[in-house]
């Protein structure tokens, strides 16, 4: 049955290799089951319900990817977009988390339609590389700011907007220790480095009496507080246009980049360098996002950590199925997840931020018409506490700078159209 479903022999793999690969991928991304509820609960969402939604969204998306697309790619709620959901859409813009879930659902629906009608390639290919790198780095800076804020390292200041917090507290010291441990383990290529860092900080907090042990196993919490609570009608507000676009663009770039990168690592590309069944893989992602929104979590996307399992020998969807089953088993670990403090998950945020900002090295710094829009995009995300604002100002800067420099050949219809839409939004919608 497994041979018929996954074509193991054709991919030169075995059941044992696929199981080991699945376990490896799971250990590298399991941190999301505690980090995501920690971030989304800042909106007032029930922690236990988001924990269940996170696990189930990962199970659904990863199973579809494995069984339908037959790729060793795992999915879960994405880092960066969960922070945008909580701290910008709900925290700064003032929308309810129900409306934010509605926006996530609509972005997933748009993603599905783009994949169905094969418009995705046109969009992906028309977005300048410098803006893509700027967007990735900006999300990294955004996560870093949230990490320092959660650890109490960066605080608000009436004169300088931000300032240095108290760095001698046990929480701050545990944060720094967890980050250094995570980076050191990652450098030594230890599987599950991020999760080990989270667990180490939590155990230290328990030993110091900073958190209270509540048990290990229990029945899963109720999903009722978030299940089908999304407000799709509220998300049709014109002020949500840029939010939906932000969810869509980031998911589109993340998923496409992850799929191609993982496929290259595993030798899964065809002779023309293209990914077979790309449509199925992208639709798996979009269906997972819509399902996750219905369950009560932010955008679900493909995880680059899947390359860890591919490096361990995973080549088929059986790897993804193993990951899905392990996420399903996580539903019994809610007591452990609920005691993990924000300063234990903050090192994971900062570590992911380091990985995401690495794309800056690929920008052509000799060409200011490429470098400047990328820098504007990257800096405006943390400084305005909004991924959407960073994307908008990046597109506007790119289009205007290329035009003023006389480099019309580097502009295309989609970039100009997106820039005009964002300009109109700032003129007519952002009146405050």
């Amino acid at each position: 049955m497994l041979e018929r479903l996954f074509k193991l022999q054709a991919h030169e793999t075995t059941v044992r290799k696929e199981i080991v690969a699945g376990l490896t991928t799971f250990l590298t991304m399991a941190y999301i089951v505690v980090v995501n509820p920690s971030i989304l609960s800042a909106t007032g969402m029930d922690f236990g319900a988001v924990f269940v939604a996170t696990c189930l969204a990962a199970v659904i998306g990863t199973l579809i990817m494995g069984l339908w697309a037959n790729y060793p790619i795992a999915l879960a709620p994405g880092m960066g977009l969960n922070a945008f959901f909580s701290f910008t859409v709900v925290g700064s813009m003032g929308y309810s988390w129900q409306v934010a879930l509605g926006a996530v659902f609509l972005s997933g629906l748009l993603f599905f339609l783009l994949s169905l009608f094969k418009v995705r390639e046109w969009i992906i290919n028309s977005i300048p590389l410098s803006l893509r790198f700027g967007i990735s780095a900006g999300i990294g800076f955004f996560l870093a700011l949230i990490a320092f804020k959660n650890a109490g390292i960066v605080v608000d200041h009436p004169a300088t907007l931000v300032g240095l917090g108290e760095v001698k507290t046990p929480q701050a010291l545990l944060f720094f220790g967890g980050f250094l441990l995570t980076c050191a383990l990652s450098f030594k290529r230890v599987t599950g480095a991020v999760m080990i860092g989270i667990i180490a900080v939590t155990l230290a907090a328990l030993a110091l009496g900073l958190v209270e042990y509540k048990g290990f196993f229990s029945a899963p919490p109720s999903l009722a507080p978030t299940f089908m609570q999304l407000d799709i009608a509220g998300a049709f507000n014109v002020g949500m246009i840029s939010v939906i676009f932000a969810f869509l663009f980031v998911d589109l770039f993340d998923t496409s980049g992850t799929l191609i990168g993982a496929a290259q690592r595993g030798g899964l590309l065809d002779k023309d360098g293209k990914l077979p069944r790309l449509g199925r893989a992208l639709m798996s992602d979009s269906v997972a996002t819509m399902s996750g929104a219905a369950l009560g979590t932010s955008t679900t996307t493909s995880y680059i950590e899947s390359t860890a399992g591919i490096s361990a020998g995973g080549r088929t969807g059986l790897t993804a199925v193993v990951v899905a089953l392990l996420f399903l088993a996580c539903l019994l670990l809610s007591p452990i997840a609920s005691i993990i403090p924000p300063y234990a998950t903050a090192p994971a945020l900062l570590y992911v931020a380091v990985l995401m900002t690495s794309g800056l090295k690929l920008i052509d710094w000799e060409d200011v018409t490429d470098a400047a829009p990328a820098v504007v995009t990257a800096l405006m995300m943390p400084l305005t506490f909004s991924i959407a604002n960073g994307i908008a100002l990046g597109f506007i800067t790119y289009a205007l700078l290329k035009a003023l420099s006389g480099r019309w050949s580097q502009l295309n219809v989609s970039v100009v159209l997106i820039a005009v839409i964002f300009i109109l939004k700032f003129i007519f919608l952002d009146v405050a």
Side-chain angles (χ1 to χ4, degrees), residues 4-135:
R4 187 171 64 253
L5 274 175
F6 304 109
K7 299 179 174 59
L8 300 177
Q9 290 184 3
H11 289 88
E12 299 180 349
T13 186
T14 64
V15 172
R16 181 182 178 278
K17 282 184 180 179
E18 297 291 302
I19 292 175
V20 171
L23 178 60
T24 302
T25 294
F26 173 76
L27 289 175
T28 61
M29 61 182 289
Y31 65 88
I32 195 62
V33 301
V34 293
V35 175
N36 196 55
S38 175
I39 291 175
L40 296 191
S41 61
T43 67
M45 299 175 74
D46 181 78
F47 183 97
V50 177
F51 171 80
V52 174
T54 300
C55 294
L56 291 181
V59 170
I60 292 170
T62 307
L63 276 179
I64 296 174
M65 181 68 77
L67 295 173
W68 191 43
N70 195 23
Y71 281 122
I73 309 293
L75 293 86
M79 294 294 294
L81 287 176
N82 50 10
F84 175 57
F85 180 106
S86 291
F87 301 111
T88 300
V89 181
V90 178
S92 298
M93 299 176 72
Y95 290 101
S96 68
W97 58 263
Q98 291 89 342
V99 170
L101 286 177
V104 170
F105 180 87
L106 290 177
S107 72
L109 179 60
L110 285 173
F111 195 168
F112 180 82
L113 294 175
L114 291 176
S115 301
L116 189 64
F117 293 107
K118 300 183 178 180
V119 183
R120 59 187 182 274
E121 289 92 347
W122 175 74
I123 294 178
I124 293 170
N125 293 332
S126 63
I127 304 304
L129 284 175
S130 60
L131 284 182
R132 293 190 221 177
F133 298 141
I135 289 170

Side-chain angles (χ1 to χ4, degrees), residues 180-427:
L180 294 175
L181 175 62
T182 300
C183 290
L185 292 175
S186 176
F187 177 77
K188 292 180 177 296
R189 301 187 181 279
V190 175
T191 300
V194 176
M195 198 66 198
I196 292 172
I198 293 174
I199 293 172
V201 173
T202 303
L203 290 176
L206 278 169
L208 294 172
L210 299 176
V211 294
E212 181 182 352
Y213 178 68
K214 299 179 181 179
F216 201 88
F217 293 107
S218 77
S222 172
L223 186 63
T226 60
F227 181 66
M228 294 301 294
Q229 296 300 309
L230 67 170
D231 183 356
I232 297 176
F236 276 105
N237 185 303
V238 288
M240 292 293 285
I241 293 175
S242 62
V243 171
I244 295 172
F245 267 101
F247 282 135
L248 174 63
F249 282 154
V250 176
D251 191 18
L252 190 63
F253 298 151
D254 275 0
T255 300
S256 302
T258 296
L259 289 173
I260 298 301
Q264 287 175 333
R265 179 71 64 87
L268 302 175
L269 300 178
D270 63 19
K271 60 181 180 180
D272 298 319
K274 295 182 179 180
L275 185 65
R277 307 182 303 283
L278 176 61
R280 289 191 179 192
L282 290 175
M283 281 193 275
S284 299
D285 194 292
S286 58
V287 171
T289 290
M290 290 187 285
S291 301
L295 293 167
T297 185
S298 53
T299 305
T300 302
T301 189
S302 302
Y303 262 59
I304 194 62
E305 283 87 345
S306 301
T307 55
I310 291 173
S311 298
R315 293 295 182 271
T316 74
L318 181 55
T319 294
V321 171
V322 172
V323 176
L325 293 176
L326 290 170
F327 270 116
L328 188 64
C330 281
L331 288 171
L332 303 175
L333 301 177
S334 61
I336 292 296
S338 66
I339 70 169
I340 296 176
Y343 52 86
T345 56
L349 294 180
L350 187 56
Y351 173 73
V352 173
V354 171
L355 300 182
M356 297 192 74
T357 53
S358 63
L360 288 174
K361 66 183 179 183
L362 301 175
I363 295 173
D364 182 3
W365 294 101
E366 299 300 321
D367 185 349
V368 71
T369 64
D370 276 341
V375 170
V376 168
T377 302
L379 289 180
M380 292 308 292
M381 287 187 188
L383 293 180
T384 64
F385 226 60
S386 171
I387 292 175
N389 285 339
I391 292 174
L393 293 169
F395 270 96
I396 293 171
T397 303
Y398 185 90
L400 293 178
L401 188 53
K402 290 292 183 181
L404 290 172
S405 302
R407 308 183 74 171
W408 296 95
S409 62
Q410 296 185 12
L411 286 174
N412 56 62
V413 175
S414 60
V415 170
V416 173
L417 180 61
I418 294 170
V420 169
I421 291 173
F422 282 134
I423 289 173
L424 294 175
K425 174 189 177 295
F426 283 127
I427 293 174

